[in-house]
Amino acid sequence: MKVLFATSEFADFAKAGGLGDVSAGLPRALRRRDIDVRVLLPAYPEVIAKANDIAVVAHLPGHAGIDPCCIGEARTDDGLILYLVLEPSLYQRTGSPYAGPEGHDWPDNDLRFARLSLAAAEIAAGRAGMSWQPDLLHVNDWPGGLAPAYLRWQGARVPTILTIHNIAYQGLCDRERMPLLGIPEGAFHINGVEFHDRVSFLKAGLFYAEHASTVSPTYAREITTEAFGAGLHGLTSGMAAEGRLSGIVNGIDETWDPSRDPHLPHHFEADDLSGKQANADLVRTGLCLKHSAGPLFGVVSRLVHQKGLDIVADTARDIVREGGQIAILGLGDPDTEHMLSRLARSHRDHIGLLIGFNEPMARRIVAASDFCLMPSRFEPCGLTQMQAQRYGSLPIAHRTGGLADTIDDGETGFLFSDLSGEGLFGACRRAFEAFDDPDVLAEMRQAAMARSFHWSGAAAEYEQLYTRLIGRRTVQVVPAPARRRAPAPTVELRVAA
Ligand code: ADP
Ligand code: GLC
């Protein structure tokens, strides 16, 4: 089975959040199942700087206002094949995959990711002049959303899956951009790319892909509701009713292992946590926190509204009053950064803040902390709570999305439903009680650290889904009844509208 996996982030080189981790972890797990999966991503500066031996394997023409590009082939050290979209005018910029150094989105993000989507569609349709053509195209989030649409408009029949990592980011642009993006006028329709009189890349992906998946079963249900569907719940609930929407929980990669993580000054295991304590001492010192025998609460997060940092701020005073300390690492909205800076300044001995994106520090804080705060308003999957459990840090999290699916309340962490300072503090109180009872704490840590969260389970589910979609295409292309296959078992989550 051959699969092209198109993504705007890839953790080895360029990552803004969990999509980068998923794009690096899932294809590798699929390869271990003998699937020939290749990853397509833009050639950002970090990619060019870190990839070895890039060979140009295709020249793709321009289309409408989308510039021509080259496709470079590279391999990671462990042999994963990468196809890089080489177009310096679009991708050779300093900043994150989506924004400049000041945090402002690039104004031509529509063209940047239309280029990615079009390259994906051309390779998938066998129009790139390459010796390799996939059986299925798997795209991710709004940056890949136009790929299933381009395939449909070109009349190509390649099965496509769109994975939604976050329905709140939709890739909207003005209708006037359509001619530049090569979007036919007729597609500006409720049954097409139109969303409240603008063009939505994510809606295009949902509308034209054969299947959509999201990164947990609970979030798959949630996005069919008005409260979580970000205006697309009509479409998603229709897809769910047709069996075209699945929820598959992400994994985390095996480098999240406290006994051998090279970023940790002190290693530890479930039956000997002395290294965890030593890491906590170092983190306290590094953040200028007072020495304390109380619990350390960690926060590692993008600083955006979704993550509920305002709720952490509402609760912080109570946590400190009860004898807790908080170590925060994050990067994001300037307003949230300022709010957290003020908080840390007013509790210098007990709340430490690091603004930045720093993977070694993220791992150290997770390893050092006793509990990890995640009061997300919504959380499609969330990786931090899984990383935390592996490192014996019990997550305290809002009962939503993937948090509800990956934390066993009272066994490997604490879930709360009332999304407010009181709700979060109620769960923190339970955490303080557990902290004060060494037997309970030890039992919960053991249970959390024993959870595997390996990518293999998710990869098996994706393989089943791919097989079914590719099989369905074979049925359409070869209509002779004798060759028709029995339907493969489905993995969809059917959700009532
Ligand atoms: P999201 O993708 O919504 O940001 P996830 O929990 O799925 O949330 O994934 C976040 C990933 O990014 C995790 O691997 C986490 O460790 C990492 N991360 C988040 N913030 C930072 C940061 N400031 N520095 C380093 N890593 C971070
Ligand atoms: C998004 C979501 C997060 C998820 C990640 C990877 O960034 O916010 O919940 O874990 O994608 O799928």
Side-chain angles (χ1 to χ4, degrees):
M1 189 190 298
K2 290 178 286 179
V3 173
L4 181 65
F5 187 93
T7 179
S8 51
E9 298 180 33
F10 185 72
D12 300 36
F13 305 133
K15 156 173 159 180
L19 172 60
D21 294 300
V22 172
S23 301
L26 175 59
R28 288 180 161 108
L30 290 165
R31 278 185 78 215
R32 289 193 280 274
R33 304 185 69 81
D34 285 335
I35 297 176
D36 178 4
V37 57
R38 304 185 182 192
V39 177
L40 177 76
L41 76 154
Y44 306 116
E46 306 83 338
V47 178
I48 304 277
K50 289 188 194 162
N52 321 317
D53 298 331
I54 303 174
V56 172
V57 291
H59 295 270
L60 304 185
H63 173 63
I66 303 172
D67 284 335
C69 68
C70 297
I71 301 296
E73 183 177 318
R75 259 172 216 263
T76 60
D77 291 343
D78 56 345
L80 178 65
I81 295 180
L82 307 176
Y83 290 129
L84 309 176
V85 186
L86 294 157
E87 175 38 40
S89 73
L90 296 176
Y91 305 125
Q92 285 296 301
R93 303 177 189 181
T94 309
S96 82
Y98 316 105
E102 306 303 323
H104 301 299
D105 282 358
W106 299 111
D108 59 348
N109 270 349
D110 51 359
L111 278 170
R112 298 175 76 234
F113 295 109
R115 181 61 275 180
L116 173 68
S117 292
L118 187 61
E122 286 169 326
I123 296 171
R127 295 196 177 131
M130 289 162 54
S131 54
W132 185 85
Q133 186 187 353
D135 303 309
L136 178 139
L137 173 63
H138 186 163
V139 300
N140 292 277
D141 271 349
W142 72 265
L146 283 185
Y150 286 129
L151 282 169
R152 190 70 71 84
W153 297 327
Q154 293 168 356
R157 304 178 70 159
V158 182
T160 48
I161 297 181
L162 166 72
T163 294
I164 304 168
H165 298 264
N166 193 332
I167 204 166
Y169 298 111
Q170 301 194 349
L172 298 176
C173 67
D174 292 334
R175 179 181 188 171
E176 290 66 45
R177 303 284 284 176
M178 283 176 45
L180 276 180
L181 301 170
I183 300 178
E185 195 54 36
F188 193 73
H189 192 271
I190 187 162
N191 291 316
V193 304
E194 188 267 341
F195 182 74
H196 296 280
D197 219 26
R198 301 190 79 198
V199 172
S200 162
F201 279 37
L202 189 71
K203 180 174 172 194
L206 281 171
F207 187 78
Y208 291 105
E210 260 74 45
H211 196 92
S213 70
T214 185
V215 284
S216 68
T218 295
Y219 192 61
R221 271 194 300 278
E222 288 173 343
I223 60 172
T224 65
T225 67
E226 194 172 352
F228 290 92
L232 290 170
H233 53 285
L235 183 53
T236 49
S237 56
M239 294 181 78
E242 291 166 9
R244 292 173 51 222
L245 179 65
S246 318
I248 301 175
V249 173
N250 290 329
I252 55 173
D253 77 71
E254 50 277 24
T255 65
W256 283 92
D257 178 346
S259 67
R260 61 187 182 92
D261 183 339
H263 297 297
L264 299 187
H266 301 281
H267 292 142
F268 56 95
E269 299 185 29
D271 53 10
D272 178 6
L273 293 170
S274 50
K276 186 170 176 68
Q277 188 53 50
N279 289 318
D281 292 342
L282 279 177
V283 164
R284 282 188 167 99
T285 306
L287 294 178
C288 296
L289 301 182
K290 260 199 175 144
H291 180 75
S292 162
L296 183 64
F297 295 74
V299 176
V300 174
S301 182
R302 284 186 299 122
L303 304 182
V304 293
H305 187 65
Q306 170 193 347
K307 302 291 181 179
L309 281 316
D310 49 325
I311 300 170
V312 171
D314 286 349
T315 317
R317 193 179 308 270
D318 294 326
I319 291 177
V320 170
R321 196 195 54 233
E322 295 293 317
Q325 294 179 313
I326 310 177
I328 306 172
L329 169 68
L331 184 69
D333 297 342
D335 287 351
T336 310
E337 292 180 7
H338 292 143
M339 185 257 303
L340 293 174
S341 300
R342 281 194 302 276
L343 183 73
R345 273 203 307 274
S346 57
H347 299 276
R348 284 182 190 281
D349 292 340
H350 301 293
I351 300 181
L353 173 67
L354 273 177
I355 297 291
F357 199 91
N358 184 328
E359 182 168 348
M361 201 57 207
R363 288 172 178 258
R364 287 177 186 204
I365 288 181
V366 172
S369 56
D370 299 294
F371 303 106
C372 166
L373 299 174
M374 293 189 76
S376 305
R377 292 187 159 80
F378 63 94
E379 196 60 78
C381 179
L383 303 178
T384 310
Q385 81 282 4
M386 297 196 257
Q387 297 160 350
Q389 287 173 77
R390 291 283 298 130
Y391 282 19
S393 172
L394 306 176
I396 301 176
H398 182 212
R399 191 189 295 276
T400 187
L403 300 174
D405 292 343
T406 57
I407 298 168
D408 291 321
D409 186 33
E411 287 175 35
T412 65
F414 304 92
L415 292 170
F416 62 96
S417 302
D418 165 21
L419 187 64
S420 66
E422 294 82 62
L424 172 57
F425 189 61
C428 291
R429 250 199 219 102
R430 295 171 60 206
F432 275 107
E433 280 166 21
F435 189 81
D436 288 341
D437 186 330
D439 291 341
V440 172
L441 185 65
E443 195 181 326
M444 288 188 74
R445 279 181 172 160
Q446 296 265 357
M449 294 178 80
R451 298 291 302 268
S452 100
F453 300 122
H454 198 268
W455 266 112
S456 54
E461 287 189 65
Y462 279 106
E463 181 179 18
Q464 240 187 319
L465 187 56
Y466 294 163
T467 305
R468 191 164 60 77
L469 292 172
I470 294 169
R472 188 188 285 164
R473 197 247 326 234
T474 310
V475 171
Q476 288 165 357
V477 173
V478 186
R483 298 194 56 182
R484 215 162 264 189
R485 293 183 186 177
T490 70
V491 295
E492 285 106 353
L493 175 96
R494 287 177 187 266
V495 190

